[in-house]
Amino acid sequence: AAPELPICQLATPTFLDFAQETVLLREIGSGTRLAIEDFASTQAVKLNRTLQLGSLEAIKAAVIGGLGVSILPADTCQHDIDARRLMALPIKGFPLRRSWCIVYHRNRQLTPVSEHFLRSLRQSD
């Protein structure tokens, strides 16, 4: 969230507080959106005001601009959190975790870049 939003002044914001803001989402079918909607469902919370944007960078720019709140990958916004353009909210149940499958052709040799990428994915567990 942008630090100037009222939700950022709450000592322990809840997901209900979060959902009362305009929630910025990716397009229908995106993994990030599904994770947010699934979490809202498990919390029995309805997202009343949403705005759909086409990329994480567009969502991040809109959040920095104070247009709403969102759930973004930490590595996408850490620089802006450090610079105090964004604030990570301490909401119970966050961060949301998602599962990924690593798929590659078993008969092809991976490039050094691909091997490095796979190592970093496996280490982030």
Side-chain angles (χ1 to χ4, degrees):
E4 64 272 6
L5 289 180
I7 190 172
C8 293
Q9 308 314 311
L10 300 174
T12 54
T14 64
F15 188 70
L16 183 58
D17 297 321
F18 178 89
Q20 290 173 347
E21 300 285 337
T22 299
V23 179
L24 307 177
L25 300 168
R26 290 286 309 265
E27 68 281 355
I28 292 172
S30 80
T32 304
R33 182 178 184 137
L34 288 171
I36 295 169
E37 291 174 339
D38 286 349
F39 187 76
S41 177
T42 65
Q43 299 297 305
V45 170
K46 185 166 173 29
L47 303 175
N48 292 318
R49 291 181 297 165
T50 62
L51 178 62
Q52 179 178 304
L53 296 169
S55 72
L56 289 176
E57 284 301 316
I59 291 172
K60 185 171 73 166
V63 171
I64 290 170
L67 297 179
V69 296
S70 192
I71 299 171
L72 298 168
D75 60 342
T76 301
C77 52
Q78 190 60 54
H79 177 74
D80 293 296
I81 292 170
D82 294 343
R84 301 181 195 268
R85 288 185 291 269
L86 289 175
M87 182 174 172
L89 300 172
I91 295 176
K92 184 179 179 180
F94 283 21
L96 300 181
R97 302 279 183 210
R98 293 180 33 205
S99 297
W100 291 84
C101 294
I102 301 170
V103 180
Y104 55 92
H105 196 286
R106 70 175 140 199
N107 294 330
R108 292 195 183 168
Q109 179 147 357
L110 296 175
T111 66
V113 171
S114 297
E115 289 177 355
H116 178 73
F117 178 67
L118 286 175
R119 272 194 307 277
S120 67
L121 289 176
R122 289 180 176 129
Q123 290 172 356
S124 66
D125 218 4

